[in-house]
Amino acid sequence: MSALLEIDGLTARLQVEGELRTVLHDVSLTIGAGEALGLVGESGSGKSMTARAVGRLLPRGAQTSGAVRFDGRDVLTLGPADLRRYRGEVAMIFQDPRAHVNPVRRIGDFMTETLRLQGVTGADAAKRAAGALRDVGIDDGERRLDQYPHELSGGLLQRVMIATMLLGEPRLVLADEPTTALDVTTQAEVMAILDELRHERGMALLFITHDLELAAAVCDRTAVMYAGQIVETRAASLLDRDPLHPYTAALAAARPDVAVSARRLAAIPGRPVSAFEAPAGCAFAPRCVCVQERCREARPPLDRLDDGQVRCRRAQELRGRMAAAIREGEASRA
Amino acid sequence: MLRFVARRLAMLVLTLLVASFAIYASLSVAPGDPLSVLTGGRTLPPEALAVLRARYHLNEPLPAQYWHWLTGALHGDLGSSIALRESVNTLIGERAGVTFELVAYASILILLLGIGSGILAGLRRGAVDSTVIAGTTVFAAIPSFVAAIVLISVFAVKLGWFPALGAGTGGVDRLWHLTLPAIALALSALAIVARVTRVSVREELGREHVQTAISRGLPQHLVIRRHVLRNAAIPITTVTGITIASLIALSAVVERAFSLNGLGSALVSAAASKDFAVVQGIALILVAAFVITNTIVDLLYAFLDPRVALGSRAE
């Protein structure tokens, strides 16, 4: 599988209150054509920033180093015209469709905006938009095209968002928590539509979520982020069964199990840190139950281990004993 | 739409009715006697005074006086001025032109310069933005009578570029004469509109839906026109509408300063001499203009923002 998107040592700093703060540190990822990669992590871990960097949507004043390559082209240095063309090939779906669709323009206007720009006639564009709406399960598309965003429910609007993205026939979809703002039943529907259409059309997907299980269900591989770094990349199905990084293991352990009754939910001690406040050594060291002195000394590299990658010095020796180590740590604190 | 306009018209009539009574009542309790202007300070024999009082219905109780005026007004006769011995209809007809032109001129300045500079400042950070912020901070703090005095002393007296007084004879000459008054009238309003425009544009630029538009590869000029400016137009319209409506009342000050023979200056002198009919007539025109301007803004608003239903009741 050739890499469609290749993120190589991407570091990004944002201007916050006059000072530059690191939000992404040495992020490396690849997504093959038609492959789905899940990106999981807590809020503020840099998931969305990674997607924004790929879409060249970082806030003004942001500084980046490293490389983002799409189909071999360097994305970070594209000129305005090439950037627009690139954005046609990479579509984004955002968390809150209500905020991300212009409230004063009709659905049809929103959907066909880029088509019309390519010289497609109004009637033809409307027909294609209605067709795309049918593809996402909205049957009365023609009527919807005349409506305004506030006349549609959140789930419907997110489908409109997906349909709009389909019209551009992108090769890569960046989905930033596309179902977080929706209610649970709608979430499942929207996710199923997205998954089905992606397979049907062979689109690659970068799926950002904080739901490990959801990521495992729709993605081929999953990358785990912590404090602006990738700490583990793994086949999605193996992530919670055989975690390589103590953070992933702790996340998996913290997930409530419907079959087991517990008096208290397990939690990871401490609070998540942002990239700019991460300690010099391993960013997770202050919260890790398996921490050793050498973990705090230098930042561990992202090493290959079996079929995955992990940023932990003890990964090899803790292999297979991670979950037990977490439980022991829990027990000793209790 | 039609129902909305009809409702607004009904509200206008009601507003005018309430306003006219309020003005009548407040003028009647204010000190002074309208006849003193007529007599010019001389003492007239009581019989003569009684005749005058009867002629202007001053001997009747307030509600009756008001009723006289109201029935006349409903027949299109706004009464006659005691001081000027002229029908109020002709007086307004003669003076409305200048006021209308002055307000229109100032409005155009506000629309072009206020909104224009606001958009520029909103879109461009740096020098343009700082200049507009500094300029509008100063201008917003200058009341129109101060602006009038400064403009007259600099551009009319010192530099001699513009006339200091009068309204000119029409056409280009009228435009030339009204330039300084229009600037004096528009200045602080222009600054406020510019600032609101700047903030609205900045706010829209940061909106998520603008980010969506960018992420879809739309060219920048289209993102700005169709998503930033289009949406910023909603708050800008509101503020500009209110500002322009208030110019009508403010014009009185500027007309006095530049000796323009408009409605505003007539209103001020009529109020000073308790010339009921004139105050009433002009005040009603001002109130009507204010309400009508606001109605137009509301109509525009519903047109600009599909989320606003005209005369909306909760659905």
Side-chain angles (χ1 to χ4, degrees):
Chain A
M1 204 183 278
S2 67
L4 178 66
L5 178 77
E6 209 179 328
I7 304 176
D8 191 5
L10 179 68
T11 295
R13 276 180 284 268
L14 293 189
Q15 203 91 40
V16 182
E17 290 157 17
E19 60 174 311
L20 276 177
R21 282 186 178 172
T22 305
V23 290
L24 293 177
H25 178 81
D26 192 21
V27 171
S28 298
L29 283 174
T30 55
I31 302 180
E35 188 193 18
L37 175 75
L39 195 54
V40 299
E42 288 165 275
S43 309
S45 60
K47 306 180 303 268
S48 295
M49 282 299 160
T50 307
R52 279 161 159 256
V54 172
R56 282 275 301 267
L57 286 171
L58 287 176
R60 86 181 25 242
Q63 290 182 4
T64 51
S65 61
V68 177
R69 279 183 291 273
F70 181 79
D71 213 6
R73 280 170 298 164
D74 186 0
V75 171
L76 298 181
T77 54
L78 288 177
D82 288 330
L83 184 59
R84 280 205 301 279
R85 212 165 303 128
Y86 162 71
R87 282 175 170 154
E89 293 186 88
V90 177
M92 287 187 94
I93 304 174
F94 300 92
Q95 184 175 23
D96 183 2
R98 184 85 53 215
H100 275 97
V101 178
N102 191 337
V104 306
R105 294 193 164 274
R106 290 179 199 277
I107 298 295
D109 195 34
F110 170 76
M111 292 189 70
T112 58
E113 200 168 14
T114 44
L115 283 182
R116 296 299 308 278
L117 219 58
Q118 293 158 8
V120 180
T121 63
D124 198 16
K127 202 186 287 171
R128 278 163 71 174
L133 286 177
R134 214 165 297 124
D135 289 344
V136 296
I138 302 176
D139 289 327
D140 49 352
E142 283 83 2
R143 184 171 71 90
R144 298 293 181 194
L145 292 181
D146 279 335
Q147 289 186 309
Y148 285 99
H150 69 275
E151 297 171 286
L152 271 61
S153 69
L156 218 46
L157 212 52
Q158 193 61 296
R159 292 192 204 197
V160 167
M161 203 71 156
I162 295 173
T164 309
M165 162 211 94
L166 290 177
L167 284 175
E169 292 168 9
R171 295 160 72 193
L172 171 65
V173 178
L174 307 173
D176 188 355
E177 305 204 28
T179 59
T180 308
L182 310 177
D183 66 71
V184 182
T185 43
T186 324
Q187 267 182 23
E189 280 169 27
V190 167
M191 224 37 243
I193 288 166
L194 188 60
D195 194 40
E196 185 192 320
L197 290 169
R198 185 187 80 74
H199 281 293
E200 224 174 79
R201 307 184 185 210
M203 296 182 288
L205 172 70
L206 177 67
F207 179 61
I208 294 174
T209 179
H210 45 237
D211 188 336
L212 279 173
E213 268 168 284
L214 188 57
V218 296
C219 297
D220 304 312
R221 284 185 303 132
T222 306
V224 180
M225 284 195 90
Y226 185 78
Q229 306 167 30
I230 303 282
V231 293
E232 176 171 355
T233 314
R234 203 74 211 286
S237 54
L238 292 176
L239 201 70
D240 54 336
R241 265 193 286 136
D242 179 23
L244 298 179
H245 196 282
Y247 176 59
T248 320
L251 276 184
R255 226 175 38 215
D257 188 336
V258 282
V260 179
S261 88
R263 253 186 331 141
R264 226 183 125 168
L265 293 179
I268 307 177
R271 64 171 186 91
V273 293
S274 301
F276 75 95
E277 48 184 10
C282 172
F284 188 59
R287 305 174 70 190
C288 185
V289 292
C290 309
V291 66
Q292 287 183 338
E293 208 37 57
R294 59 181 170 139
C295 297
R296 304 186 204 273
E297 278 157 14
R299 197 156 279 184
L302 191 60
D303 284 328
R304 198 145 258 298
L305 183 65
D306 284 355
D307 55 346
Q309 287 172 301
V310 62
R311 199 188 274 279
C312 174
R313 292 197 192 282
R314 301 192 65 201
Q316 187 77 53
E317 63 177 287
L318 287 172
R319 189 74 201 278
R321 300 193 289 117
M322 199 78 78
I326 301 283
R327 271 196 301 278
E328 260 167 52
E330 281 282 322
S332 69
R333 271 191 304 126
Chain B
M1 170 84 189
L2 268 174
R3 257 182 56 199
F4 174 78
V5 175
R7 264 227 316 268
R8 274 318 185 81
L9 277 176
M11 262 172 67
L12 171 63
V13 173
L14 196 71
T15 312
L16 289 178
L17 206 63
V18 173
S20 67
F21 185 75
I23 296 162
Y24 223 95
S26 57
L27 268 179
S28 69
V29 295
D33 183 352
L35 284 185
S36 64
V37 181
L38 212 56
T39 56
R42 287 167 293 147
T43 22
L44 290 184
E47 303 82 50
L49 273 178
V51 170
L52 281 174
R53 278 188 206 285
R55 188 197 291 169
Y56 293 108
H57 304 293
L58 294 171
N59 52 349
E60 294 169 36
L62 180 71
Q65 285 187 37
Y66 177 67
W67 181 250
H68 271 295
W69 177 84
L70 189 65
T71 44
L74 288 177
H75 288 96
D77 175 18
L78 291 171
S80 54
S81 161
I82 298 178
L84 303 170
R85 266 168 263 179
E86 194 180 359
S87 124
V88 175
N89 290 26
T90 9
L91 187 123
I92 289 175
E94 280 166 3
R95 290 164 171 250
V98 178
T99 301
F100 177 75
E101 280 158 12
L102 175 65
V103 170
Y105 196 165
S107 304
I108 290 169
L109 290 180
I110 290 173
L111 289 173
L112 290 182
L113 299 179
I115 296 182
S117 63
I119 290 176
L120 264 178
L123 293 178
R124 297 191 177 194
R125 283 152 212 269
V128 180
D129 189 26
S130 322
T131 312
V132 170
I133 290 184
T136 52
T137 308
V138 175
F139 291 157
I142 301 179
S144 50
F145 69 90
V146 175
I149 292 166
V150 173
L151 287 171
I152 289 173
S153 74
V154 175
F155 293 101
V157 178
K158 269 218 191 87
L159 297 172
W161 293 353
F162 292 98
L165 304 170
T169 50
V172 179
D173 187 51
R174 172 62 62 89
L175 208 63
W176 185 50
H177 273 81
L178 286 185
T179 298
L180 289 186
I183 294 174
L185 184 58
L187 207 56
S188 68
L190 185 153
I192 290 164
V193 168
R195 291 187 80 105
V196 171
T197 303
R198 175 184 167 274
V199 171
S200 315
V201 167
R202 218 22 97 69
E203 213 171 85
E204 282 306 323
L205 269 177
R207 287 251 195 265
E208 284 99 334
H209 70 81
V210 172
Q211 200 165 65
T212 311
I214 296 171
S215 81
R216 294 174 72 196
L218 285 187
Q220 201 193 7
H221 67 97
L222 282 187
V223 172
I224 287 174
R225 208 179 66 212
R226 305 185 50 148
H227 296 283
V228 176
L229 297 187
R230 169 67 181 77
N231 292 43
I234 298 168
I236 294 172
T237 307
T238 312
V239 171
T240 311
I242 293 171
T243 317
I244 287 179
S246 64
L247 287 187
I248 302 163
L250 258 183
S251 65
V253 178
V254 175
E255 283 172 13
R256 291 288 273 195
F258 287 92
S259 303
L260 297 176
N261 218 1
L263 290 180
S265 54
L267 178 67
V268 174
S269 43
S273 56
K274 289 197 81 177
D275 203 344
F276 277 169
V278 178
V279 173
Q280 213 38 323
I282 295 176
L284 290 189
I285 298 247
L286 298 187
V287 171
F290 192 88
V291 174
I292 289 168
T293 316
N294 275 326
T295 306
I296 292 172
V297 170
D298 282 344
L299 283 173
L300 262 178
Y301 202 91
F303 171 73
L304 285 172
D305 191 347
R307 290 165 295 185
V308 175
L310 278 178
S312 67
R313 296 205 188 108
E315 282 175 47

